[in-house]
Amino acid sequence: MKTTARTTVLNLTGEEFVHPGNRACSGCGLSILYRVGVKALGRDCIFVVPPSCLTVMQGLYPIAATQMPVLNGTFASTAAIATGVKAAMRRLGRETQVVAWAGDGGTSDIGIQALSGALERGEDIIYICYDNEAYMNTGVQRSGTTPRGSLTTTTPFTGKSEVGKDLPAIIAAHNPAYLATCSASYPLDFHDKLLKAKQIKGLKYLHVQTPCPPGWGIDEHMTVALGRAAVETGLFDLYEIENGRMQLSGPSQQLLAKPALRPVREYLQLQTRFKALGDEQADALQAQVDRRWAGYRDKFK
Amino acid sequence: MPDPRFKILTSASTSGPGDAGRTGSWRVERPVIDMSRCIPAKTGKPACHLCWLLCPDNVVSKEIEPAIDLEYCKGCGICAQECPVQAISMVADADFLEGAASE
Amino acid sequence: MSNPIIESGNVAAAMAVQLARAEVIAAYPITPQTPVTEKLSELIAAGAMDAEYVAVESEHSAMGVCIGAASAGVRAFTATSSNGLLYMSEQLHWAAGARLPIVMCVVNRAIGAPWSVWNDHQDAISQRDTGWIQIFAKDHQEIIDMTLKAFRLAELVHIPVMVNYDGYYLSHTYMPFEPPDAERVDAFLPAYAYKHALTPERPESLNTVTLPDARLDVDGIQRGGYMDIRHNLHEEMGKSIEVWEEIDQEYQALFGRGGHPVIDPYRCEDADVIIVAMGSMANQFRVVVDRLRQNDGLKVGILALQMYRPFPSAIIAEALQSARHVMVYEKGLSYGNQGALYGDIKSALYPYPARPRLHNFIVGLGGRAIPTESLYETMKTACEQDLSTLSAQADAPQWIGLQL
């Protein structure tokens, strides 16, 4: 199955599933993602959410900012709780989609064991990781996916010295039914990948790069521009893996036709979190992107 | 079925707007749309609607003349940044205070 | 017994879960719980039980699956032991706070370090403040009966129930017991229905962040804050004792067994000295009591405590008040203080003017053998001593059977 961009701004449903006036920060990338993502998922769907910005965004008792049924659970057990809800749906004879929606800390760090178990069992759930590349809800601490050189409150002054986990690759090693990377800046691409995921049985994993204005040190209006820069510089690639086959998708696929990508510095310089990143590190990052994209050009030409 | 003598209090929330109050008060600048430039407004046809698509807070309407719910708009300015024809500008909310124009 | 079978305690537990028609079972193997989960997977694989078995990668996830299933309105079960119980500790608090009627068998085992696969009660005792109802079975018949009654209790009061039974002493020994008739069980245990069950038809966000203070909901009705929700759990846990007694009466009417759901006293009516214990040790003490009465002319009784949380303070105080001495034997303690059960009993008796003298004995940790002979000897020695001098010591626990 290929992602065919069926949905356009014009035919995207006007039905809304989130209320305005919620607690998300101004310019929140997750909010864009959530608003458009739920349009793809539809109402016959139950969310399972660990502690994260989404917990807060979805509302504080007794008010839910979301119109979806949500089960908030412990940090480490998102995929396990989703497994239980899905098992219950089968027992009740319901086709209801069960969607686990967690952050990068909840997925790559504390939640990875439960997710690995669910992947191995081939649970019939959709798992969305919105990756804002640090523990944002607790105030920007480093996570497993925080990129090298990034300043966080636990990697102050010189930035994180380790390379972030390639979480989609870890998931891919489990051979999931479907894997896609997405960006909050391309919500329609995310929307259509979710439409596709809904049709597939087994564990569907969507990894979404999600710019965070306070965490990344960008102006609130730059959220979408930032995510776009990550894709257009080749730092964050949008792809799908089905039946073990990787395919660039949507905006990243279109970049193959371009003679050159935007330099990674254009992305890095927009964010204060990379202000400690030296020239040498930036060059190394550029070289890494160039190598990867040379490989893509050979492979997908 | 639970025993009717038991209340069984849980944190089960029901859906509604304004969990964080009127988030328009967070704003220092508000988006103002120049309808003479806005694509759907200018052409009178459904088109573009990027401001609606990319609004994190669900406060832009998908109409020929897009409307912004200032009660809840947090003023992030993504709509202004992403508008392909620069029809949206961010204007200081203070300018809209009563009497501001005459000063 | 009309129709007894001879099986292990673990199989008795599995049979109860089968009879209860639990629909989602998630478990992770740990000694000595393993045969429960093996039996349940076998029953499901053989088609003898219509349920989903989820072979999770940890106990934390086992309880996670149960939380998910129960929140969606489906009856869920798990079983564990020892460090497995501790690994799911966070989830235990969560399940209770969310008021999910999950039933779990805990096959009691010592906690590491050092590693010990053998029996004591430290696993359950360490989780006494999670908001779970904790009951203790003392033989195979009680394992099957209590587990069935636990499902009914959990679903009536919407508080999870932990059914405890001793590792090896009960889990792996083979004893006769009578499985209840399946049709009658169906009458006793109606299908589980939950008003907050997750459903797209009536979307709610469950376990949302809750503020310290009460707040108006979307309809303008004031809803309590965190503390009010927790207060309700505490109040209703206390009220569960009464419901447990009512369930026991119903069960007795249907199956002919019961009558002592909270405490099970044996020869306590005229006793000067009452022993208090939980689990299989309480049965073992019956022999000791008989011998002390017969051989030594001592007026001794044994009070088995079946329900540990909620703690039936009034019932216990009532039962112990008339004794001159109460000997609390337990297989777990609050380190640096005293036996946890001992402390609870002491506090239950405090408001009463006529208080018996209390003595605390720690036995059988990590499976250290508890020969009936040694129970007899320690009791005999204690009774023959001037008991009042014994209690004049600080009420520190006495350790029985140390080999240092």
Side-chain angles (χ1 to χ4, degrees):
Chain A
M1 248 194 286
K2 264 194 104 174
T3 315
T4 44
R6 284 162 296 196
T7 310
T8 64
V9 185
L10 292 185
N11 67 18
L12 178 66
T13 178
E15 191 179 5
E16 298 291 344
F17 302 83
V18 197
H19 291 289
N22 63 51
R23 287 169 202 267
C25 302
S26 178
C28 173
L30 168 63
S31 292
I32 303 173
L33 204 63
Y34 189 85
R35 221 192 107 220
V36 180
V38 186
K39 288 171 187 270
L41 291 164
R43 297 218 181 254
D44 192 15
C45 172
I46 293 170
F47 285 176
V48 176
V49 177
S52 58
C53 296
L54 185 52
T55 318
V56 179
M57 195 266 262
Q58 286 185 144
L60 267 52
Y61 181 71
I63 300 172
T66 177
Q67 298 176 25
M68 306 302 293
V70 182
L71 180 55
N72 293 282
T74 56
F75 214 169
S77 63
T78 313
I81 296 175
T83 297
V85 176
K86 189 66 194 185
M89 291 304 117
R90 276 194 300 273
R91 294 299 308 173
L92 298 167
R94 302 195 65 139
E95 296 290 315
T96 305
Q97 296 278 348
V98 177
V99 179
W101 198 317
D104 47 292
T107 306
S108 76
D109 295 339
I110 195 168
I112 200 167
Q113 176 178 311
L115 175 56
S116 177
L119 279 158
E120 186 262 335
R121 295 189 304 270
E123 296 296 344
D124 188 21
I125 58 173
I126 295 173
Y127 192 109
I128 299 166
C129 169
Y130 74 95
D131 184 4
N132 50 27
E133 301 179 349
Y135 289 89
M136 297 313 187
N137 196 38
T138 45
V140 200
Q141 294 80 30
R142 94 193 265 292
S143 80
T145 66
T146 301
R148 176 187 268 175
S150 181
L151 291 168
T152 68
T153 56
T154 50
T155 54
F157 312 125
T158 53
K160 181 175 167 180
S161 51
E162 302 81 14
V163 174
K165 289 185 192 182
D166 183 352
L167 193 51
I170 296 169
I171 307 300
H174 289 75
N175 205 15
Y178 177 69
L179 184 151
T181 59
C182 312
S183 164
S185 299
Y186 298 90
L188 292 177
D189 175 69
F190 175 57
H191 179 277
D192 286 347
K193 283 170 175 168
L194 278 174
L195 284 184
K196 189 172 181 177
K198 280 172 72 177
Q199 304 302 317
I200 299 170
K201 215 170 160 49
L203 200 145
K204 289 77 62 176
Y205 177 81
L206 287 88
H207 191 98
V208 197
Q209 198 200 33
T210 308
C212 166
W216 291 14
I218 57 173
D219 287 337
E220 293 156 23
H221 65 274
M222 289 298 285
T223 304
V224 175
L226 237 290
R228 196 163 46 232
V231 171
E232 288 177 353
T233 56
L235 270 168
F236 189 82
D237 305 328
L238 305 181
Y239 59 86
E240 294 173 288
I241 300 176
E242 281 175 280
N243 305 314
R245 204 161 145 261
M246 186 254 204
Q247 200 65 36
L248 287 175
S249 56
S252 289
Q253 195 181 25
Q254 287 158 22
L255 291 177
L256 280 174
K258 296 203 170 187
L261 305 178
R262 289 167 64 184
V264 297
R265 278 191 170 78
E266 281 189 18
Y267 171 74
L268 301 173
Q269 281 163 358
L270 287 168
Q271 309 166 64
T272 61
R273 68 170 171 159
F274 288 120
K275 70 178 182 215
L277 195 83
D279 275 345
E280 213 172 289
Q281 283 170 301
D283 288 341
L285 205 53
Q286 184 66 64
Q288 196 187 326
V289 167
D290 292 346
R291 268 199 309 279
R292 195 168 69 245
W293 273 83
Y296 287 161
R297 289 199 173 90
D298 281 350
K299 195 173 165 188
F300 299 121
K301 230 160 198 178
Chain B
M1 276 313 233
D3 188 311
R5 292 170 291 181
F6 284 64
K7 276 160 82 179
I8 311 167
L9 292 188
T10 58
S11 170
S13 301
T14 43
S15 183
D19 169 49
R22 292 178 182 177
T23 49
S25 66
W26 297 8
R27 198 177 57 227
V28 287
E29 287 182 331
R30 67 172 61 174
V32 176
I33 307 174
D34 177 354
M35 295 300 171
S36 69
R37 299 173 90 166
C38 169
I39 298 169
K42 203 164 80 175
T43 59
K45 287 178 192 156
C48 186
H49 294 307
L50 270 176
C51 52
W52 167 74
L53 174 72
L54 297 173
C55 174
D57 286 294
N58 185 15
V59 296
V60 184
S61 72
K62 191 187 186 183
E63 292 169 303
I64 300 291
E65 285 207 1
I68 292 167
D69 182 351
L70 292 171
E71 189 103 336
Y72 292 117
C73 169
K74 293 170 185 165
C76 69
I78 289 175
C79 53
Q81 174 71 24
E82 298 300 324
C83 176
V85 293
Q86 289 83 44
I88 307 176
S89 47
M90 297 304 288
V91 181
D93 264 280
D95 293 353
F96 294 86
L97 290 174
E98 229 167 298
S102 60
E103 276 169 27
Chain C
M1 281 185 194
S2 56
N3 236 335
I5 61 163
I6 296 174
E7 257 300 351
S8 71
N10 277 331
V11 168
M15 288 176 76
V17 178
Q18 179 191 23
L19 285 165
R21 299 185 187 277
E23 293 195 76
V24 172
I25 288 141
Y28 185 78
I30 182 166
T31 302
Q33 152 265 34
T34 324
V36 187
T37 59
E38 286 173 342
K39 186 68 189 175
L40 287 169
S41 19
E42 179 196 313
L43 289 169
I44 293 166
M49 189 177 170
D50 183 20
E52 294 241 357
Y53 187 90
V54 188
V56 285
E57 83 302 328
S58 74
E59 289 89 355
H60 194 277
S61 284
M63 189 51 70
V65 170
C66 290
I67 287 168
S71 301
V74 167
R75 191 172 284 158
F77 174 84
T78 187
T80 190
S81 294
S82 183
N83 286 57
L85 181 68
L86 270 56
Y87 193 46
M88 60 167 76
S89 182
E90 167 195 35
Q91 305 281 54
L92 300 187
H93 288 271
W94 197 267
R99 299 296 293 267
L100 298 173
I102 297 163
V103 170
M104 166 166 63
C105 283
V106 174
V107 189
N108 302 118
R109 166 185 154 180
I111 297 292
W115 280 123
S116 163
V117 296
W118 296 279
N119 169 250
D120 68 35
H121 287 171
Q122 195 67 43
D123 50 5
I125 295 300
S126 75
Q127 302 303 303
R128 66 183 181 172
D129 299 331
T130 53
W132 278 59
I133 291 170
Q134 293 183 307
I135 51 179
F136 282 78
K138 55 188 190 298
D139 59 31
H140 293 46
Q141 188 66 60
E142 283 189 355
I143 292 172
I144 193 165
D145 292 341
M146 269 191 186
T147 305
L148 277 170
K149 289 191 277 188
F151 279 103
R152 180 112 170 89
L153 177 65
E155 290 169 19
L156 277 172
V157 305
H158 265 266
I159 295 171
V161 181
M162 186 188 297
V163 182
N164 293 277
Y165 57 91
D166 289 310
Y168 295 113
Y169 294 121
L170 295 179
S171 68
H172 283 63
T173 53
Y174 282 66
M175 292 291 283
F177 60 90
E178 189 180 340
D181 172 66
E183 267 180 41
R184 285 189 189 188
V185 170
D186 289 341
F188 169 74
L189 186 63
Y192 165 45
Y194 181 35
K195 69 170 174 173
H196 291 300
L198 291 163
T199 171
E201 279 78 46
R202 204 190 56 257
E204 287 182 318
S205 181
L206 306 182
N207 318 318
T208 30
V209 178
T210 299
L211 294 163
D213 291 323
R215 189 179 180 217
L216 298 181
D217 70 9
V218 290
D219 301 317
I221 299 165
Q222 177 157 298
R223 302 288 176 189
Y226 178 92
M227 193 160 169
D228 309 289
I229 290 171
R230 288 290 168 156
H231 172 255
N232 176 252
L233 170 63
H234 175 71
E235 288 287 301
E236 299 196 335
M237 223 173 139
K239 275 161 64 181
S240 301
I241 298 172
E242 196 184 323
V243 179
W244 181 237
E245 286 170 330
E246 290 164 7
I247 290 168
D248 179 70
Q249 280 165 24
E250 274 180 51
Y251 196 86
Q252 196 174 16
L254 278 165
F255 303 104
R257 286 184 301 274
H260 307 283
V262 178
I263 55 168
D264 191 358
Y266 176 76
R267 303 188 83 167
C268 288
E269 311 79 35
D270 63 336
D272 288 331
V273 180
I274 296 179
I275 302 157
V276 182
M278 298 196 294
S280 59
M281 187 166 56
N283 264 1
Q284 199 182 353
F285 262 118
R286 291 193 173 194
V287 185
V288 176
V289 163
D290 288 344
R291 274 179 69 189
L292 288 166
R293 280 185 176 259
Q294 209 171 323
N295 301 358
D296 310 291
L298 293 164
K299 282 197 201 164
V300 181
I302 163 76
L303 184 91
L305 182 62
Q306 321 264 66
M307 182 173 245
Y308 178 62
R309 283 292 180 275
F311 195 70
S313 294
I315 293 171
I316 288 200
E318 195 61 39
L320 298 180
Q321 254 190 112
S322 55
R324 286 198 297 119
H325 295 275
V326 170
M327 323 289 254
V328 183
Y329 281 74
E330 50 190 319
K331 296 178 181 176
L333 74 159
S334 176
Y335 284 90
N337 190 19
Q338 53 201 179
L341 176 59
Y342 176 75
D344 290 335
I345 288 175
K346 192 161 60 171
S347 123
L349 287 165
Y350 186 79
Y352 293 83
R355 292 193 291 260
R357 286 192 179 275
L358 297 176
H359 316 272
N360 191 195
F361 302 92
I362 304 298
V363 288
L365 298 194
R368 172 67 51 87
I370 312 169
T372 306
E373 193 57 35
S374 89
L375 292 180
Y376 170 75
E377 287 300 334
T378 59
M379 274 302 296
K380 189 164 179 275
T381 312
C383 291
E384 281 169 355
Q385 271 176 17
D386 184 356
L387 275 171
S388 57
T389 61
L390 219 169
S391 66
Q393 303 162 10
D395 66 349
Q398 300 176 50
W399 291 59
I400 304 298
L402 288 177
Q403 294 175 4
L404 281 173

